[in-house]
Amino acid sequence: MNATSHFFLYTEPNVPGAVTAGTPTSNSVTIVWSEPDGAFEGYEVTVTKTDDGSAILDQFAINTETASLKLTELLPETEYLVEVVAVVGAGTLKVVSDVVSVTVTTDRSKVNINETYTTTSLIVEWEAPDPLPLPLTYRVTVTPPEGNPSSPIMVAATETALEIIDLTPGQEYTITVYAVQNDLTEDEIGTAVQRIKPTAPTGLTAGDTTFSTIDFTWNFSPGDENLFDGFEIEYSPVDGQIPSPYYHDDYLPFELTLTGLNPNTAYTINVYTVSGIGSRPQRSNPTSATFSTNDAQPGDIIIKEVSTDTIKAMWIAYGTAQGYNIKIQESGSDDELAIQCYAANDGTEHVFTGLTAGQLYTITLEILGSDNNPNVEIRTYPERPGNVYVGSLTATSISIAWDPASSGIVHGYSVMYYPSEGIPMPPITYTNDDDLILHMTMLRPETTFNIVITSFAGAEEDQQISMPRYTTQRTDILSPLEVIIRKYTTSEIDIMWGRKENDESSIYLITLNDNNGNEETTAHSPTDPLEFSFTSLTPGSLYMIGISLTIDGDVTTGEISQRTKPLAPLNLTVTDMSVSTIDLSWDAPSTGLFDNFVISYFPVDGLDASPLTLASHVTTMAFTGLSPNQQYTFELFITSGSDDDMTQSDSVTESVTTDSASPGEIVIKAVSTTSIYVTWGSAEDGTVFSGYLVRIEPEDAELNVIFKLPSDELTHLFDGLTPGQEYNIYVQLQGVNVEDSLTQRTVPLPPKNIIVTSTESTSLLVIWEQASGVVQTYEIYYVPDDGEEIYAGTTTKDDITFTVTGLNPGSQYDVSVNSKVGTGDSALVSEAVTSPGTTAEMESNKVIIKQYSLDNIDIIWNTDLNPSSTPGLFLVSLSPEDGGSYPQAVQKPSSTYVDYSFFGLMSGRLYTITVEEANSGNNITATQYTKPATPGYVTVTSYTTTTVTIDWEAASGDADGYLISYIDSAGTETSVGMLTLPADSLEFQVDGLEPRTEYMFKVVTYAGSGSSRVVSDPVTISNSTEEVPADTIGIQHFDTSKIEILWSEVEDPMVTGYLLSIDPADGDNPSDIRPTYIAKDPTRTSINYSFLNLVAGRMYSIRLQISGPNTVLVSEQRTLPNPVGAFFAGQVTATTISVFWDSQIEGELTSYKVTYNPPDGRTVSPTILPVDGNGLAGITLQGLSPDTSYMITVVTISGGGLDATTSTPKQYTQTTAAIPEDELLIKAYTSSFIEVLWAVRTGPEINGYLISIDPADGGNPSPTSQKLQAKEIYRYNFTGLSPGREYTMKVEIMGTQDEVTTTQRTVPASPGVVVEISNTPTSITYTWAPAIATIPSGEIIISSFTTEVIEILWGSVDGATAYLIYLDNVFVKIVSKGSKLSHTFDDLTPGQEYEMKIQVSGGNVDDSVKMQRTKPNDVLQIVINGASSGPSSISFYMFTPGGVYSAFQITYDPPDGTTVSPILLTVVDPDVNDYEITLNGLTPSREYAITAVTLSGTGYSQTKSDPYVVKYITETAAQAEITFNDVNTDSINITWGAATEDFQLYLISYSPADGDQGEYTLLTRSADMDLELSFTDLTPGRQYTFEVSITNNNEEVVKDTKQQRTIPIAPSTVIITDVFSTSVAVTWSAVTIGEFDQYQVSYINPEGDEMVAGSVDSDTRQFSINGLLSITEYTIVVYSVSGTGSLQTLSEAATTTTITKKIVLDVLVSSPSLVILGWREPQNVGDFTDYEIEYAPDDGEPGSGERFTRDPNPSTLIQGVFSSLTAGQEYTFTLFLIQGSTKTQIDILKVQTGEITRP
C-alpha cells in the first residue's frame, strides 16, 4: 500500500467530572457528567452489562456541546456500567482521558411480554395502576424500529393483557401501554421491547457425505415479511472442527460442511434462523435432521484440528500393518518437512507443529507392510490481518486501513461491516495487489458499526479463512441542517438532517424540486425524528432537496441533490445463439427516465468489450468471438444521469451456454489489422488422429506453410496479414476426413493525411490518401463545435474526396474519415482520422442551397441584399408553388445571413427560388432539385452464368430516370447503365459478369443532368451468377466486334480438347475465322475464348465440339450494332425540334429508338423508327415546351424480340425557340382537350387576357379572363371538347387591341366494338360500332373505376339548369349548367356495386341510372407452405383482402399438373381469412408462376382485381419418390427417384383405388436403368394407387405411395341452343366411356380469360351461361370432370364459338315494388308490329305480360312500367317481337327489386 501519513501528537485530556444517573425506568436512564478542564474535542460513552463482563453493548460519540446522554432500549431489572472519557484526535491518533463511571440498575417493568410469543404474534401484559382511577381504559401502541406507531388499540379497564397479531417474523417491536382516564388525560404505565421469532428454515437436506464430513443445505425465503440476520447451527455429538453452536452469516449460501467428524457416526443437526444482533437477538424454532458419516476404510486419514501452525491428523488402523510412517510436505514439493514413525499399536493420531500459516500441505500415511499409502491435502489457517487504523470520520462515512497479515501465506482479505443492531453488508474482497483501505459511505449518523476483517488463503475447496480482526467505530453527529441521503429507490428518497439548537418553537420546511420546475413544500415538527421520506417519485429523475429553519428571524438552510434509481430493464432474452455468438434483446422500462444501458458479461473472452455502454434506444446486442460450449453470464442495468449524480437500476442477469463446436469447427476469437486469432472444436472422444492442420488463404508474407498442431492445442494466431483483406481459414483433423473452413477479414487501416478545406459557405471539401491494405468504402462524419457526431456519407474505395454539405457559414467542424470493409453484420471499420475545417463566410448577392432532402430545401442568403442598416423584410418565392402560398415574408435577422426552409415539396422536382428585398426590390434566384425518392423493392428476375436481370418498383414523386451499377467482392463499383423515364418497364439486365460470383446490384433514382443532377438513396440486392453448366456455351461478353464465350471443363477422361468455330446464323457471308482447337487442362474449371473482328449487329452461330465423345454444343449471339453517326440540326420552333443523324454506319441494324427528356411533348418517348436505307435519318418532336432544353438520345437496334441488341446511346441537346408575341401555339391535344401557349406581354397598360373558343362547348365559358402573373409563358387548357371537331381559339390582350388566334381539330373518337361476321378461305368480313363523338343526351358513361373510385361522364340535356348527383339514392352534389359534366365518387368500398343516378333539373327528362361495381382489392398475400410442398406439389396459403368479393380465380403456369387451372374458389363464408390450396402432379425442380385474382359480383357486373403473382420452384424428387409425368385418358407414365439402399429389385404396382385387382412389375436394379414406367389400358377418369417398393432377399420395403386419376373422356360435341344479348344456352353430347362425376362449363372472353360458369351432374347436359357482354365473341368450353380436390382431373376441352346479340333491355328504375325498363328498336330484326314483355318471379309463382306498340321513330326510348312487385324478389323479364301470330324472343333480363341482377 503506497500512502503518506501525517501524525499529530496530543496530550491526554483531563478527566470529565463525576457522572451521575437520573431515576431509571424499566428501559431507560439519563446519564449526566460535567465538562473537564482544558482542551478536549468530545466524549465517548461506553455501556456494558455487568453480568456480561467486557461485552460492549453500545458506544456513543458525543460532541462538546452536550454533557448528557439518554440511554434507551435497556432491559428491565438489569445492572449496567456506564463509562465516560474525554477525547482529542481521531483514528489511530485518538487520545482519551481516564474513565469516570456510574453503575445503574433499571427499574422493574410494569409492562412485560409473555414468553408464548410466535413468529407473528405476542401477548403483552401490564400492571393496573394502584389505586385504580375510574372510569378507565388502556391504550396500547405497537411501533417497529424506525417506524410509525400503529393505530392505538383500546382495551377495557377489566383487562390487563392483549394478544397482538399479524406481526412480521423476526421484527423488533416497542409496545407502550397508557392508562386513559375519563377526561382523556393519560399516564404511561410502561414500555416493553420484544423481537418476535423469525420464520424457521426448511428442507434440511444432506449433500455429499464422507467418512469425516457431512455437507448439508437448507431453504429460506428472506424478504420484507421474513426478517433475519443469519443462522445458528448446533450439532451433537460435538467432535468436529466446527464449533457448536456456529453462527452462519446471511450473505453466505444456505450450506455448511461439518469437518473432522468420526466415521460411521450419527449426528443430529439443528438449524435456527436468527434475527437481531446485539442485546436482543431472537432465534426461530429449529429444523432438525440426523445424518451419518460413512464407514472409513483402514488407512483413511481424518483431519481433526487445524490452526495457523498445527494440523492434527488421525487415521483408521490397518489390520495387517506392521507400523506407520506419517509425513507432511508442502503440496507440489518433494521435500519432506516432518515424518513420524508409529508402531502398529502405538496409536493412530499425530499433531504436526511449526507449520506455515496459510500453506497447503500434503499429509501421507505410509502403511508398513502394505502398498497402500493414502494421502490428503489440507491448508493451515492464514494469519489474521494486522492492526486496523481509523482514518477520516464523518456523520455518514468511516474510512479504515489495515496492515497485512504478519506472516505466512495470504491470498486476500475479506471485509464486512454492520451496525450493532443491523444486517451485515455483503463482504468486500481485496487481493494482495489492492490498497488495504475501505471507505464506508451512506452510513447512519451516531451509529456504532462493527467492522470485521479476515484473511483468506487458497480458493474454493482448499480455501481457509483466518480468525477475524474486529474494530468498532461510531459515526459522528450531523451538523445543524446538514442533509444526508439515507436511502433511495426507484420512487422514494429518504433523508436525515442535523438538529439546530433551540428548534422547539419553530418548524422545519422541507422542499423538493424536480427538473421541470415543480416544487413541493412540507412542514416538519422538531419533536418528530429528523427524518423524511419522499414517495411516488419518478424513476431516474434528479431532485433538489432543501431544509430550512427560521429561529428569531435567523434562517438556516441545508440542501442536497439526489437522483432516484431508474427502473430495471425488462425481458432480457437470448434471441439467437451459435458456437461463437449470443444475441440478446431486452425491453426498456415503460416509465421513468434513463440515459443508457450498461451490459457486461463474464468470462470476458469475446470480440466485444465488457462492460459496454449503449444508448437508450438500443435494445439488442450481439456478442461475437465467444468460446464454444462456454457458459456466459450477462448482466444488464440502466443508468440515469452522469458523473456524481448518476444512479443505476437493479441489474437483470441471464446465463446461457454457447453451442458446442463440432470437431474442427472454427470460431474467430480476435481480429486486428494484421492478425486473426482462432479456436476450433476438439475431436470427439475416441477419435484417432495425429493433430490438426491449420492454413490460411490467400497466403500472405510468411504464411505459405501449413501449421501442424498437436491434438491438445485448439488455438492459433495468424499474424503478418494484410489489413482489410478477406481470408479463408481451414482446420483439418489430420488422418481423419474432417475439415472446416471460415471466411474472415482483418480490420482495415485508417486513411492517411486527411485535409479539410473550404471555399464555400455551407460545405467542406475533405481529401485524404488511400489507406494501406484493402479498403472497400470510406465513411465520413462531422461534429459541430457544440454538437454530436453526424453521419455525412460514404464513398467507394477509389473516391478519396467528399463534400460535406448543409453546414453553417463561418463555422468550425471536426471531420473524420474511417475505412470500412465488408457489409452488414460482418462489416469491419477502422479507427477514424480527424481534422478540423472552417466554412467560408457568406457570399453577397447569392442564394446558397444549404441542403435539400426529399421534401424540403434549405437556403441561406446574405442580409446585405438589404442595403439599409435597419431591419427589413425579404420576400421568398418558390416555383412550382408546392408546400405553401408565396411569396413568404421573412424578417431580417440580427445575424449576417438568413436561413429559410421550404417544406412539403415533391421529391425529384426542379424548383426555382427567388429572394426579393421588399424595400429596394433587389432580388436573387437559384434553382435546385429536391432529392428523388428511393426506388421501391428490387428483385432479381433471372440470372445466368454472366448476366443478372433485376427489376424494381417505381420511386414516388418526380424523377428523370434510374442509374444502375454493381459492386464486386473487392468493393469496386461499376456503373452499367441508365434507364430514362418514361420507360416501358423498370427492368435492367447486367451483362459481362463472371460465373459463380456474388455481386451487389444498386439502383438509384436521379433527377436533372450534369452538375445539377441529384440522386436518391440506393436500393440494393445481392445475387450470384450461375455456374457454367456442363453442356452449355455461356456468353460472357459481347460488343460490336467481339463475342466472348465461356464453358465448363469436362471431367470425362475420354475428352482431350475442344474445337471452336463461328459463322453467321443466317448462312450468308460465312465467317473467315478459322476453327480453333483448345486442349483440355484438368487444372481449370471453366474456359474463356473470344471471337474477334466480327460484324456489328450480326447474328452469329457458335459451335463447340468436344473431342472424344464428339458432343456438339451450339449457341447464338448477336453483336452490338454500331451507334448512329453525327447529328444535324433541322428546323426548331417554340414547340418542335427536327433532328437528323448520319445512318451510313457499318454493320447491320434494324431500327432506331429515339427518346427525349423531358418527355413532355406529343411525340411518344421512346419512338421506334425503321431503317429506310437512306443516308440520313431523323425525327420531328412535336408539342414541346418553348424555350426549353431537350436531351435527345438515339440508339440503333439490330434484330428483334429476345435476340435484339442495342448500341451505345448517342445524345444531342437542342433548345426550343421562345414563343413569338404574335402566335398562339398548340402544345397538346386529345379527343377532349386542347392546350394552348402564348408569350407574356409587358407594360403598364396590360391588365390581363381574354380567352375564347369557338364553338364554345365542353363546359368552357367563353370568353374567360386570365389574371396577369409574373410568368414568361401562359398556358390554358380547353377541356370537355367533342372528338374530331375543329375549334378556333383566341386570346385578346386586355389594354391593347392585339389578339392571337389559332385553329385545331381534336382527335376523333375511336370506333366501337369490332366483330367478325363472316370468313372464307380467302377473306374475313368485320363490322364495328360507330364512334361515339358525343355522349347521348342524359346517358351516363363509366369513364374509369378503381378499387375506391368511380368516375362518370354524362350527356348534356337541352333545357337543363343543373344536374343532381346521387349515389345509392343519397344526394352527393349539384353540377351547374356549363360545368364539365363529370363526377368522381371516391372513398368507396372495394368490390361493392353502386347505383349512380343523375336527376336533371329543368330538362323535363327521366332520371338516368347506372350501376357499376368497384374493383375488388388484390389478394393480400400468397405464402408457400414449404413443409407441405414436394417435388410434384405446391401447397400455399392465400390470404383474403378487405372489401367485398365473391370468388377467387387461381391459375398456375405452366399448367402441366393434374390440378385444374384455373381454379375457381367461391366465397361461402366471408369471415374466412385464408385458404389452403395444393397444386398436384407438377414437375420436380420446375419454376411455377401462381396467379390469384379477386372477383366481385357475377355476370356483366363482375369486376376483377389486379393479379397477385408468386413464383416457386418445386423440390427435387427424393429417393424413390413417385412423380407423374404424363397422364392421359387410358395411360399414366411415372418416374421415381433412385433408392440408395442395397437391394436387388424394384417392385412397381398399381391398383384401382376402389379395391379392384391391379398389376405389378419387377425391375432388376442396374446402374444405367431408366427409372420410368408407363401403365396403359387404364379406364378413363378412374383413380389408381401407385406404389414403388424395393426388395432384397425377399424382404420388401415400400418407398413411396401416391394416387392419380386418369383424364376422363371429353364430350364430343357442344351445341349452342339459344343466344341472347347477355346469355347463351348450350347442350352437349353425353360421355359414355369411362368414369366421371360432373360436367364443368366455362367460357373464354376476347381477352383470353377463361371463366368458370358452373357445373352440373353427370346426368345433365344443358346449361345457361349468364352475365355475358352483348355483341361479344365467346368460346364456350365443356369438360367432363372426374374426382374432387387435389386428385380432380378434367377432360380435354370440347368447344364452340358464338357471338352474343346486341343488348336491348335496360333497367331505368328498380325500387322495392317498381321496375321501369327501357329499350330502343333493335337493328336488322325485320318486320314486326308490337313488343311483348313477359315477366314472372323466380320463386315459381305465375307471372304476367304486357304489349307495347312499335314506335314509328326507331330511336325513341320505349318504357315499360311494372308495379306492385314483391320487395327483394328476383323477376325474369323476356322481350319478344310480335308479327301476326309469330313471337320472336330477342332479349332476357333478370331484375331483383331494389337492384339489378342481369344474368
Side-chain angles (χ1 to χ4, degrees), residues 691-1022:
Y692 298 98
L693 300 179
V694 184
R695 60 190 174 92
I696 191 168
E697 294 177 354
E699 298 171 347
D700 275 6
E702 301 175 1
L703 298 179
N704 55 359
V705 296
I706 297 177
F707 295 92
K708 297 181 179 179
L709 304 179
S711 59
D712 59 349
E713 190 167 336
L714 299 175
T715 61
H716 186 72
L717 176 68
F718 295 101
D719 206 354
L721 306 181
T722 299
Q725 176 68 51
E726 184 175 74
Y727 290 92
N728 294 319
I729 299 167
Y730 301 87
V731 173
Q732 181 183 356
L733 273 66
Q734 190 174 3
V736 181
N737 187 25
V738 174
E739 182 179 71
D740 188 36
S741 63
L742 181 144
T743 300
Q744 176 63 48
R745 287 187 181 273
T746 47
V747 177
L749 286 172
K752 296 177 283 188
N753 300 330
I754 179 175
I755 300 173
V756 180
T757 64
S758 177
T759 58
E760 302 291 337
S761 55
T762 61
S763 63
L764 292 171
L765 176 63
V766 190
I767 306 172
W768 61 91
E769 291 183 17
Q770 286 275 19
S772 301
V774 176
V775 175
Q776 291 180 317
T777 59
Y778 293 101
E779 291 182 332
I780 299 91
Y781 296 83
Y782 68 93
V783 181
D785 270 349
D786 56 351
E788 298 182 353
E789 186 174 70
I790 300 171
Y791 169 74
T794 299
T795 71
T796 62
K797 66 169 186 175
D798 299 320
D799 192 354
I800 54 174
T801 64
F802 187 84
T803 301
V804 181
T805 60
L807 309 180
N808 291 326
S811 299
Q812 181 172 320
Y813 297 86
D814 288 330
V815 183
S816 61
V817 184
N818 56 48
S819 309
K820 183 177 180 180
V821 292
T823 59
D825 294 339
S826 64
L828 294 174
V829 179
S830 74
E831 295 179 354
V833 291
T834 305
S835 180
T838 302
T839 53
E841 296 297 334
M842 185 66 202
E843 300 178 59
S844 299
N845 298 320
K846 187 175 182 181
V847 175
I848 302 295
I849 306 299
K850 183 178 179 182
Q851 58 187 2
Y852 58 89
S853 67
L854 293 170
D855 60 356
N856 79 287
I857 298 174
D858 292 350
I859 62 171
I860 58 174
W861 67 90
N862 201 309
T863 54
D864 62 9
L865 186 66
N866 175 6
S868 171
S869 61
T870 59
L873 282 176
F874 296 97
L875 300 179
V876 181
S877 298
L878 182 72
S879 178
E881 294 184 349
D882 294 338
S885 58
Y886 297 96
Q888 294 280 341
V890 179
Q891 185 70 36
K892 177 180 179 181
S894 57
S895 60
T896 59
Y897 61 88
V898 188
D899 197 325
Y900 185 82
S901 296
F902 298 96
F903 295 101
L905 308 183
M906 175 69 75
S907 59
R909 180 168 289 180
L910 179 64
Y911 290 92
T912 299
I913 300 160
T914 303
V915 178
E916 179 181 346
E917 201 282 313
N919 295 326
S920 65
N922 296 335
N923 66 80
I924 47 180
T925 63
T927 59
Q928 179 62 47
Y929 282 94
T930 47
K931 185 176 181 178
T934 304
Y937 187 70
V938 61
T939 57
V940 174
T941 58
S942 64
Y943 56 92
T944 67
T945 55
T946 60
T947 69
V948 172
T949 302
I950 59 174
D951 66 6
W952 58 93
E953 296 174 357
S956 58
D958 291 353
D960 291 331
Y962 300 93
L963 303 174
I964 301 92
S965 60
Y966 68 84
I967 302 169
D968 60 22
S969 59
T972 302
E973 182 170 1
T974 302
S975 178
V976 292
M978 170 192 298
L979 191 65
T980 304
L981 294 177
D984 294 335
S985 64
L986 300 183
E987 185 177 69
F988 193 88
Q989 178 175 301
V990 181
D991 302 311
L993 305 177
E994 295 292 331
R996 196 180 166 186
T997 302
E998 184 175 31
Y999 297 90
M1000 176 184 285
F1001 300 92
K1002 185 169 82 172
V1003 183
V1004 298
T1005 315
Y1006 77 87
S1009 60
S1011 61
S1012 66
R1013 173 180 290 172
V1014 293
V1015 297
S1016 70
D1017 294 332
V1019 60
T1020 62
I1021 191 170
S1022 295

Side-chain angles (χ1 to χ4, degrees), residues 1255-1485:
D1257 60 1
N1260 289 283
S1262 187
T1264 186
S1265 63
Q1266 175 86 356
K1267 183 181 177 182
L1268 179 66
Q1269 295 179 340
K1271 297 181 177 179
E1272 297 180 358
I1273 301 174
Y1274 277 90
R1275 300 172 183 260
Y1276 190 82
N1277 288 340
F1278 297 97
T1279 59
L1281 307 182
S1282 298
R1285 195 169 194 178
E1286 186 175 69
Y1287 291 89
T1288 299
M1289 289 136 298
K1290 180 169 65 175
V1291 176
E1292 300 177 50
I1293 294 86
M1294 298 169 62
T1296 73
Q1297 299 299 314
D1298 296 341
E1299 64 181 31
V1300 287
T1301 63
T1302 190
T1303 59
Q1304 179 63 48
R1305 186 181 298 276
T1306 53
V1307 177
S1310 301
V1313 177
V1314 180
V1315 178
E1316 177 187 338
I1317 59 174
S1318 66
N1319 61 71
T1320 70
T1322 59
S1323 67
I1324 301 176
T1325 303
Y1326 292 94
T1327 184
W1328 56 88
I1332 301 177
T1334 58
I1335 302 173
S1337 175
E1339 184 174 335
I1340 301 174
I1341 291 178
I1342 304 298
S1343 175
S1344 65
F1345 63 92
T1346 66
T1347 55
E1348 297 179 353
V1349 173
I1350 299 175
E1351 184 177 3
I1352 64 171
L1353 307 172
W1354 64 92
S1356 61
V1357 176
D1358 292 339
T1361 59
Y1363 301 90
L1364 283 69
I1365 305 173
Y1366 293 83
L1367 181 68
D1368 285 344
N1369 290 320
V1370 176
F1371 174 72
V1372 176
K1373 182 182 179 182
I1374 295 179
V1375 175
S1376 60
K1377 176 187 176 183
S1379 300
K1380 181 177 180 180
L1381 301 187
S1382 66
H1383 180 72
T1384 300
F1385 300 96
D1386 53 16
D1387 294 329
L1388 304 181
T1389 300
Q1392 180 69 51
E1393 188 172 46
Y1394 290 92
E1395 178 189 85
M1396 289 144 288
K1397 182 170 69 176
I1398 305 296
Q1399 192 176 78
V1400 182
S1401 175
N1404 193 25
V1405 296
D1406 296 324
D1407 298 343
S1408 296
V1409 178
K1410 191 73 172 180
M1411 305 297 294
Q1412 178 61 48
R1413 188 182 298 274
T1414 51
K1415 287 177 61 174
N1417 279 325
D1418 300 348
V1419 166
L1420 185 62
Q1421 191 179 20
I1422 291 177
V1423 178
I1424 301 296
N1425 182 0
S1428 299
S1429 300
S1432 61
S1433 65
I1434 300 175
S1435 178
F1436 60 90
Y1437 295 100
M1438 182 183 71
F1439 294 91
T1440 60
V1444 177
Y1445 49 88
S1446 57
F1448 300 95
Q1449 181 172 288
I1450 299 110
T1451 59
Y1452 65 99
D1453 186 47
D1456 59 358
T1458 57
T1459 302
V1460 178
S1461 181
I1463 303 167
L1464 184 69
L1465 290 179
T1466 301
V1467 176
V1468 177
D1469 183 357
D1471 293 330
V1472 174
N1473 296 322
D1474 62 87
Y1475 292 86
E1476 184 174 12
I1477 298 134
T1478 301
L1479 308 177
N1480 289 297
L1482 308 181
T1483 303
S1485 304

